[in-house]
Amino acid sequence: MIDRNRWGEFAPAIARWESTLGRPAPEPSEPGREGRRLSARFVEWMMGLPDGWVTDVDISRTAQLRALGNGVVPQQAAAALKTLLMEADTSQVMVA
């Protein structure tokens, strides 16, 4: 059961993504030198990557966030490839 107090208006979206991924959302923030800061593990989860895909690599948090920020969400990449392949297939049929 999703904690509406924790996620507020985002609770339904968090619950759907937890269900899709089959694992609970990690803490969205972690302690930092100047208060709370974004958790790289939460970003990894939001992108739908396997747990630890980037965060279990022995690199700094900054490097983890950079890698995640420069990455592609797998579901978006799959949708883009499917669209491109369907368009390529259609254009070949039209040429023939």
Side-chain angles (χ1 to χ4, degrees), residues 52-72:
W53 187 258
V54 173
T55 56
D56 285 350
V57 177
D58 190 22
I59 56 176
S60 70
R61 175 185 162 274
T62 301
Q64 291 174 356
L65 288 172
R66 186 174 295 125
L68 290 164
N70 288 331
V72 175

Side-chain angles (χ1 to χ4, degrees), residues 22-44:
R23 66 182 197 268
E27 287 296 318
S29 63
E30 62 189 26
R33 285 186 298 235
E34 300 176 20
R36 304 289 295 174
R37 64 185 189 178
L38 180 63
S39 164
R41 192 165 294 275
F42 184 69
V43 174
E44 180 180 70

Side-chain angles (χ1 to χ4, degrees), residues 75-89:
Q75 295 80 1
Q76 289 175 324
L81 287 172
K82 182 178 177 181
T83 300
L84 289 170
L85 289 172
M86 287 177 17
E87 287 178 7
D89 190 39

